[in-house]
Amino acid sequence: MAIDLAVIPVAGLGTRLLPATKSQPKEMLPVGRRPVVQYVVEELANSGVKRMLFITGYGKSSIEDFFDVNHQLINNLRSTGKEEQLAELAFERNEVEYAYTRQREQLGLGHAVLISEPFVGRQPFVVALGDSIIGMNAQSRIVERMIEEYERNNADVVVAFEELSDPAEVVHYGVAQPRGTITGDTFELAGLIEKPAVDEAPSNLAVAARYVFSPSIYDELRQTERGKGGEIQLTDAMQKVLQKGGKGIGIRLAKNEPRFDIGNFESYFQAFVDFALADPQFGDGLERYLRDKLSLNLPT
Ligand code: G1P
């Protein structure tokens, strides 16, 4: 059966985005017109995912409300003839099943994924981090390609990677150790290291928030001890799967599949500007505004 189940961890505290995230999840921050997590769900649905299991946490219930049907709002828009706004809620009726469970302790990404085990059982599944958008307006089909590679290679772990233009950024990500020289966009994964120092990084390929796993990841996660930052790291469990002979495949994001990491203000601001500039209604006006503003600020 084709893989149609994704686990979406959204339990992180978003501390790098305070105070914006004090009383709302970072996954609900708007990027252009939509909250981050709406792009993630659309992207997954476009890749054939039909069941989404969110790993939420305290203070994250607005994510559940968002994907629910808001009858009061619908009735209000309908009775006041606001058809255009009503169309914005069409996603509420997507043919997707949503489920939610909570990570009740902040023990890291690996722990968040482990919480899905009683619900997922022994079947392959996707993991998509809820704070990362891939491709403008969720256009990326990276997960579909990953599922294909998973099946073709009979793999245990498939990971999407972003090539970092600034090698100093490896310290923020899981980093790939490819096997041999990389010739195409897909390569065999020999190992992974979480947030290495610049001189320890085996490549400039950063784990880009999309994974496909066989259930063997759970066997390793259950035994994974706290690693970097005192947290149970998903990367450490992947590394163990590979060390025990599991097959790992890496796929590079294409040039037209930028990754937007909504985990810090710098990349959040950039993502917002990119999406707002691409807005069919307001993009051109914003561009004129920015051009004016920036040229006015140039030193004379
Ligand atoms: C997590 C993972 C890391 C990955 C990153 C992608 O880190 O641990 O391997 O590269 O997500 O966004 P975090 O951003 O939670 O620190």
Side-chain angles (χ1 to χ4, degrees):
M1 198 184 83
I3 300 172
D4 71 345
L5 169 64
V7 170
I8 310 175
V10 288
L13 294 178
T15 48
R16 281 175 293 162
L17 289 162
L18 281 169
T21 50
K22 182 172 174 249
S23 60
Q24 70 170 336
K26 66 176 164 179
E27 297 82 8
M28 288 301 294
L29 291 175
V31 173
R33 293 184 183 218
R34 297 173 191 180
V36 177
V37 72
Q38 189 181 358
Y39 295 107
V40 177
V41 164
E42 279 176 20
E43 177 211 319
L44 292 171
N46 287 340
S47 277
V49 175
K50 300 238 175 303
R51 298 178 289 156
M52 320 253 176
L53 171 60
F54 289 87
I55 312 298
T56 77
Y58 195 87
K60 300 275 182 166
S61 45
S62 60
I63 297 175
E64 294 178 46
D65 290 343
F66 185 79
F67 290 107
D68 200 353
V69 176
N70 184 341
H71 293 283
Q72 202 188 349
L73 181 57
I74 291 175
N75 290 340
N76 179 290
L77 294 174
R78 195 163 281 148
S79 63
T80 51
K82 294 184 177 146
E83 296 301 323
E84 240 177 80
Q85 285 89 334
L86 197 56
E88 293 295 340
L89 301 183
F91 75 91
E92 288 180 349
R93 301 187 184 276
N94 279 354
E95 284 183 17
V96 164
E97 298 298 329
Y98 301 104
Y100 302 87
T101 187
R102 286 190 178 209
Q103 182 184 27
R104 286 175 285 181
E105 291 169 284
Q106 287 288 326
L107 296 179
L109 178 60
H111 179 252
V113 172
L114 184 55
I115 283 179
S116 69
E117 186 185 14
F119 303 93
V120 173
R122 306 304 287 181
Q123 62 180 311
F125 61 103
V126 173
V127 170
L129 306 191
D131 65 355
S132 285
I133 302 172
I134 313 274
M136 287 298 298
N137 292 313
Q139 290 306 316
S140 167
R141 289 293 171 94
I142 184 70
V143 168
E144 191 174 83
R145 301 205 300 278
M146 293 169 76
I147 292 172
E148 278 165 19
E149 290 300 331
Y150 178 91
E151 285 163 356
R152 194 191 344 267
N153 291 285
N154 204 5
D156 295 285
V157 167
V158 180
V159 186
F161 289 96
E162 177 190 22
E163 209 159 346
L164 297 174
S165 43
D166 178 0
E169 282 189 29
V170 287
V171 298
H172 300 301
Y173 299 106
V175 175
Q177 185 185 352
R179 195 182 301 285
T181 346
I182 304 180
T183 47
D185 284 335
T186 303
F187 57 93
E188 210 179 311
L189 210 48
L192 285 151
I193 171 164
E194 179 69 8
K195 304 193 172 93
V198 175
D199 55 4
E200 286 170 358
S203 73
N204 65 344
L205 294 165
V207 174
R210 300 291 182 270
Y211 314 79
V212 182
F213 292 123
S214 76
S216 62
I217 193 71
Y218 290 132
D219 304 332
E220 298 309 328
L221 277 172
R222 259 183 264 120
Q223 298 169 43
T224 301
E225 309 209 326
R226 292 173 189 240
K228 276 268 152 68
E231 297 189 332
I232 296 171
Q233 296 290 351
L234 184 56
T235 304
D236 294 347
M238 291 193 280
Q239 171 72 347
K240 277 201 254 158
V241 170
L242 299 177
Q243 278 170 348
K244 289 188 178 171
K247 178 137 194 192
I249 301 289
I251 304 190
R252 282 197 284 199
L253 293 173
K255 288 275 176 280
N256 62 355
E257 278 175 326
R259 164 180 133 86
F260 301 95
D261 178 5
I262 316 300
N264 61 71
F265 280 114
E266 190 185 3
S267 57
Y268 173 52
F269 290 163
Q270 289 168 359
F272 195 98
V273 170
D274 281 0
F275 278 66
L277 282 172
D279 189 277
Q281 192 177 355
F282 299 112
D284 289 349
L286 177 65
E287 187 176 335
R288 281 195 297 277
Y289 172 79
L290 289 175
R291 281 186 193 280
D292 280 357
K293 194 169 178 73
L294 294 175
S295 57
L296 281 178
N297 286 341
L298 285 176
T300 45

